[in-house]
Amino acid sequence: MAQDSDPSGEEADRIFELEEEVDQLKEAVTSHQVADQAIGMVVVLGRVSPDQVWEVLKEVSQHTNIKLRNVADLILIWGRMGQMPADIRAELEDALDRHGPTEIPGTPQE
């Protein structure tokens, strides 16, 4: 008896699950790229370490109830256009004050 070329219900379910997993992984990679870019930008501007910026992003996300990726997006938009919602800016400034500024290596002591 020849097998049908159509996948069985079980195979179709597995294919669907794998496609969803691939989509989730693609989204995760994109989110990481956005967060990494925002971290780099804040490291340069805020004189804080990448680990500190990660904590800053988490705090801003928690205090504003906005997903971390969206906070990172807003930081990147701010870098390109100079605009950021006032509540996000205030939370970002407060979080940076709590975590920094750190000294730039090689900076002479005053």
Side-chain angles (χ1 to χ4, degrees):
M1 175 186 256
Q3 240 182 354
D4 247 347
S5 63
D6 289 337
S8 70
E10 190 175 300
E11 289 173 338
D13 289 345
R14 182 66 181 141
I15 289 169
F16 180 76
E17 288 172 8
L18 290 171
E19 287 173 343
E20 281 189 338
E21 188 175 338
V22 167
D23 288 342
Q24 290 171 357
L25 290 171
K26 285 179 182 177
E27 180 66 28
V29 167
T30 300
S31 292
H32 258 284
Q33 290 171 339
V34 170
D36 287 346
Q37 290 173 10
I39 287 170
M41 189 171 144
V42 175
V43 165
V44 170
L45 297 176
R47 294 191 351 239
V48 291
S49 73
D51 289 339
Q52 289 171 312
V53 177
W54 182 250
E55 292 302 316
V56 165
L57 290 178
K58 287 192 315 188
E59 286 180 22
V60 172
S61 174
Q62 290 169 351
H63 292 159
T64 61
N65 201 28
I66 297 174
K67 289 184 179 184
L68 192 142
R69 178 181 186 226
N70 294 343
V71 171
D73 275 332
L74 290 170
I75 290 170
L76 295 179
I77 291 167
W78 170 64
R80 287 190 301 267
M81 303 176 72
Q83 300 171 346
M84 181 182 291
D87 57 334
I88 305 299
R89 182 185 210 81
E91 284 296 333
L92 180 61
E93 288 174 358
D94 289 347
L96 284 170
D97 286 346
R98 286 190 296 276
H99 291 276
T102 59
E103 237 179 76
I104 299 173
T107 302
Q109 298 292 320
E110 291 182 17

